[in-house]
Amino acid sequence: LKKDGRLILTVPFGQEARTFSYRSYSWAQVKDLLAQFKIIDTHFYVGMKNKWFSSDRITSEKIDNRKKVKGVIFLVAAKT
């Protein structure tokens, strides 16, 4: 990705967890993985009863994704 190029990323987000098929990332992990990027925009979503609802980071960080993905982060970042 070129300098100032944009990365659009969606990953399971909440309490840190690893399963056989996916990994759930904490805010600290997201920031660490994107150390070479400037995070421009973030949106957090929580799944309940087969529907997704907008959430905030603090609430989303408490989500337990060990059995099923119930929290995700959508973000846009620029390469530095």
Side-chain angles (χ1 to χ4, degrees):
L1 194 58
K2 292 182 180 180
K3 184 176 173 150
D4 293 326
R6 298 296 194 259
L7 170 71
I8 298 171
L9 179 69
T10 302
V11 295
F13 181 83
Q15 296 175 4
E16 182 180 343
R18 289 183 186 183
T19 72
F20 179 73
S21 58
Y22 65 88
R23 176 184 281 184
S24 178
Y25 294 90
S26 67
W27 182 244
Q29 288 176 304
V30 169
K31 288 191 325 183
D32 188 47
L33 288 171
L34 299 176
Q36 297 180 23
F37 292 82
K38 176 184 177 189
I39 298 175
I40 298 171
D41 196 12
T42 57
H43 298 274
F44 301 89
Y45 297 93
V46 174
M48 291 184 280
K49 298 183 181 181
N50 296 321
K51 294 184 182 180
W52 290 93
F53 299 93
S54 184
S55 183
D56 59 84
R57 191 182 96 207
I58 302 301
T59 301
S60 295
E61 287 179 318
K62 298 174 185 173
I63 299 296
D64 182 355
N65 287 320
R66 287 178 291 178
K67 293 184 181 177
K68 179 180 177 183
V69 175
K70 297 180 234 168
V72 296
I73 181 175
F74 168 84
L75 63 84
V76 178
K79 178 82 169 156
T80 55

